[in-house]
Amino acid sequence: MEQEKNPAEGGLLILMRHGDYTVASDGHKRLNEIGIAQAEKSGRYISETLGLREADVIFSSDVERACETADIVARYVRAARREQDTALRPGGSGIAELIMQEYSRKNVIIVTHIPVIELQYAAFLNRNAFFSYSPAALTALRYIPGKQCYEMIASYAP
């Protein structure tokens, strides 16, 4: 799908899953080489294909693999702020209400986990929607003023 507006106008929301990971001997789940490459491809897609080079904020879960993915994306998309939120952890409730109240007309990237993405879809689109569950997959949504919801404009899986 092609983007209808310039991302500089705001209202672009990108929901993204963290990259592929490996469980290390210490029990930490860190991005592996594949996950790093996936996050880089998604970062380039956001910057080059979607044309989003600056975001108001990049949110992520505070879980290591999501933080690493968000940090890699931030190499391609400059963010005014970078925030971690425990509500974006697996099993978390997400931050849809915060986004709708404070960020609906801003450019935002959220890096999180499958169950949280599913919850966010329902909140932002007022329905369930297709999402690729591949590591580092993303979906771009555009805010629709007046309707108080988003529409899907692009989907990408590296």
Coordinates of all heavy atoms in Angstrom, one line a residue, residues 7-8 14 43-44 46-48 51-59 70-83 106-109:
P7 N 5.0 11.8 5.9 CA 5.1 11.5 7.4 C 5.4 12.7 8.2 O 5.1 12.7 9.4 CB 6.2 10.4 7.4 CG 6.7 10.3 6.1 CD 5.9 11.1 5.1
A8 N 6.0 13.7 7.6 CA 6.3 14.9 8.4 C 5.1 15.6 9.0 O 5.1 16.4 9.9 CB 7.1 15.9 7.6
I14 N 3.7 3.2 13.9 CA 4.3 2.0 13.4 C 4.3 1.0 14.6 O 4.9 1.3 15.6 CB 5.7 2.2 12.8 CG1 5.5 3.1 11.5 CG2 6.3 0.9 12.5 CD1 6.8 3.5 10.9
G43 N 14.3 -0.9 9.9 CA 14.7 0.5 10.0 C 14.8 1.2 8.7 O 14.4 2.3 8.5
R44 N 15.5 0.5 7.8 CA 15.7 1.1 6.4 C 14.3 1.2 5.7 O 14.1 2.2 5.0 CB 16.6 0.2 5.6 CG 18.1 0.5 5.9 CD 19.0 -0.1 4.8 NE 18.9 -1.6 4.7 CZ 19.5 -2.5 5.5 NH1 20.3 -2.1 6.5 NH2 19.3 -3.8 5.3
I46 N 11.4 1.7 7.1 CA 10.7 2.8 7.7 C 11.2 4.2 7.1 O 10.5 5.0 6.7 CB 10.8 2.8 9.2 CG1 10.0 1.6 9.8 CG2 10.2 4.1 9.8 CD1 10.3 1.3 11.2
S47 N 12.6 4.3 7.1 CA 13.2 5.5 6.6 C 13.1 5.7 5.1 O 12.7 6.8 4.7 CB 14.7 5.5 7.1 OG 15.4 6.6 6.6
E48 N 13.4 4.7 4.3 CA 13.5 4.9 2.9 C 12.2 4.7 2.2 O 11.8 5.5 1.3 CB 14.5 3.9 2.3 CG 16.0 4.2 2.9 CD 17.0 3.1 2.5 OE1 16.7 2.2 1.8 OE2 18.1 3.2 3.1
G51 N 9.5 6.8 4.2 CA 9.9 8.2 4.2 C 9.9 8.8 5.6 O 10.0 10.0 5.7
L52 N 9.8 8.0 6.6 CA 9.8 8.5 8.0 C 11.3 8.5 8.5 O 11.9 7.5 8.8 CB 9.0 7.7 8.9 CG 8.9 8.2 10.4 CD1 8.2 9.5 10.4 CD2 8.1 7.2 11.2
R53 N 11.8 9.7 8.6 CA 13.2 9.9 9.0 C 13.3 10.5 10.4 O 14.4 10.4 11.0 CB 14.0 10.7 8.0 CG 14.2 10.0 6.7 CD 14.9 10.8 5.6 NE 15.0 10.0 4.4 CZ 14.0 9.8 3.6 NH1 12.8 10.3 3.8 NH2 14.2 9.1 2.5
E54 N 12.2 11.0 10.9 CA 12.1 11.6 12.3 C 10.8 11.2 12.9 O 9.8 11.2 12.3 CB 12.2 13.1 12.2 CG 13.5 13.6 11.7 CD 13.6 15.1 11.8 OE1 12.9 15.8 12.6 OE2 14.4 15.7 11.1
A55 N 10.9 10.7 14.2 CA 9.7 10.3 14.9 C 9.7 11.2 16.2 O 10.8 11.6 16.7 CB 9.8 8.9 15.3
D56 N 8.5 11.4 16.7 CA 8.4 12.2 17.9 C 8.9 11.3 19.1 O 9.5 11.8 20.0 CB 6.9 12.6 18.1 CG 6.6 13.6 17.1 OD1 6.9 14.8 17.2 OD2 5.9 13.2 16.1
V57 N 8.6 10.0 19.0 CA 9.0 9.1 20.1 C 9.1 7.7 19.6 O 8.3 7.3 18.7 CB 8.0 9.2 21.3 CG1 6.6 8.8 20.9 CG2 8.6 8.4 22.5
I58 N 10.0 6.9 20.1 CA 10.1 5.5 19.8 C 9.9 4.8 21.2 O 10.7 5.0 22.1 CB 11.4 5.0 19.2 CG1 11.6 5.6 17.9 CG2 11.5 3.5 19.2 CD1 13.0 5.3 17.2
F59 N 8.8 4.1 21.3 CA 8.5 3.4 22.6 C 8.9 1.9 22.4 O 8.9 1.4 21.2 CB 7.0 3.3 22.8 CG 6.4 4.6 23.3 CD1 5.6 5.4 22.4 CD2 6.5 5.0 24.6 CE1 5.0 6.6 22.9 CE2 5.9 6.2 25.1 CZ 5.2 7.0 24.2
A70 N 14.5 -1.6 19.0 CA 14.2 -0.2 18.9 C 15.5 0.7 18.8 O 15.5 1.7 18.0 CB 13.4 0.3 20.2
D71 N 16.5 0.3 19.4 CA 17.8 1.1 19.3 C 18.3 1.0 17.9 O 18.9 1.9 17.4 CB 18.8 0.6 20.3 CG 18.5 0.9 21.8 OD1 17.6 1.8 22.0 OD2 19.0 0.3 22.7
I72 N 18.2 -0.2 17.3 CA 18.7 -0.3 15.9 C 17.8 0.5 14.9 O 18.3 1.2 14.1 CB 18.7 -1.8 15.5 CG1 19.8 -2.6 16.2 CG2 18.8 -1.9 13.9 CD1 19.7 -4.1 16.1
V73 N 16.5 0.5 15.1 CA 15.6 1.3 14.3 C 15.9 2.8 14.5 O 15.9 3.6 13.5 CB 14.1 1.0 14.7 CG1 13.2 2.0 14.0 CG2 13.7 -0.4 14.2
A74 N 16.3 3.2 15.7 CA 16.6 4.6 15.9 C 17.9 5.0 15.2 O 18.1 6.2 15.0 CB 16.8 4.8 17.4
R75 N 18.7 4.1 14.7 CA 19.8 4.5 13.8 C 19.3 5.0 12.4 O 20.0 5.8 11.8 CB 20.7 3.3 13.6 CG 21.4 2.8 14.8 CD 22.3 1.6 14.4 NE 22.6 0.8 15.6 CZ 23.0 -0.4 15.6 NH1 23.1 -1.1 14.4 NH2 23.2 -1.1 16.7
Y76 N 18.1 4.6 12.1 CA 17.6 5.0 10.8 C 16.5 6.1 10.9 O 16.3 6.8 9.9 CB 17.0 3.7 10.1 CG 18.0 2.7 9.8 CD1 18.3 1.7 10.7 CD2 18.7 2.7 8.6 CE1 19.3 0.7 10.5 CE2 19.7 1.7 8.4 CZ 20.0 0.8 9.3 OH 20.9 -0.2 9.1
V77 N 15.9 6.1 12.0 CA 14.8 7.1 12.2 C 15.2 7.9 13.5 O 15.1 7.3 14.6 CB 13.4 6.4 12.4 CG1 12.3 7.5 12.7 CG2 13.1 5.5 11.2
R78 N 15.5 9.1 13.3 CA 15.9 9.9 14.5 C 14.6 10.2 15.3 O 13.6 10.5 14.8 CB 16.5 11.3 14.0 CG 17.0 12.1 15.1 CD 17.8 13.3 14.6 NE 17.3 13.7 13.3 CZ 17.3 14.9 12.8 NH1 17.9 15.9 13.5 NH2 16.9 15.2 11.6
A79 N 14.8 10.0 16.6 CA 13.6 10.2 17.5 C 13.9 11.3 18.5 O 15.0 11.4 19.1 CB 13.3 8.9 18.3
A80 N 12.9 12.1 18.7 CA 13.0 13.2 19.7 C 13.2 12.6 21.1 O 13.8 13.1 22.0 CB 11.8 14.1 19.7
R81 N 12.5 11.5 21.3 CA 12.5 10.8 22.6 C 12.5 9.3 22.4 O 12.0 8.8 21.4 CB 11.3 11.1 23.5 CG 11.3 12.5 24.0 CD 10.3 12.9 25.1 NE 9.4 11.9 25.5 CZ 8.1 11.8 25.1 NH1 7.6 12.7 24.3 NH2 7.3 10.9 25.6
R82 N 13.1 8.6 23.3 CA 13.1 7.1 23.3 C 12.7 6.7 24.7 O 13.3 7.0 25.7 CB 14.6 6.7 23.0 CG 14.9 5.2 23.2 CD 14.4 4.4 22.0 NE 14.8 3.0 22.2 CZ 14.1 2.2 23.0 NH1 13.0 2.6 23.6 NH2 14.5 0.9 23.2
E83 N 11.6 5.9 24.8 CA 11.0 5.5 26.0 C 10.8 4.0 26.1 O 10.4 3.4 25.1 CB 9.7 6.2 26.3 CG 9.8 7.7 26.5 CD 8.5 8.4 27.0 OE1 7.7 7.7 27.5 OE2 8.4 9.6 26.8
K106 N 1.1 12.6 16.0 CA 2.5 12.6 16.0 C 3.0 11.3 15.3 O 2.3 10.4 15.1 CB 3.1 12.7 17.4 CG 2.7 14.0 18.1 CD 3.3 14.2 19.4 CE 2.9 15.4 20.1 NZ 3.2 16.7 19.5
N107 N 4.3 11.3 15.0 CA 4.9 10.1 14.4 C 5.5 9.3 15.5 O 6.4 9.7 16.3 CB 5.9 10.5 13.4 CG 5.3 11.1 12.2 OD1 4.3 10.8 11.7 ND2 6.0 12.1 11.6
V108 N 5.0 8.0 15.7 CA 5.4 7.2 16.8 C 5.7 5.8 16.3 O 5.1 5.2 15.4 CB 4.2 7.1 17.8 CG1 4.5 6.1 18.9 CG2 3.8 8.4 18.3
I109 N 6.8 5.2 16.9 CA 7.1 3.8 16.6 C 7.0 3.0 17.9 O 7.5 3.5 18.9 CB 8.6 3.7 16.0 CG1 8.7 4.4 14.7 CG2 8.9 2.2 15.9 CD1 10.1 4.6 14.1

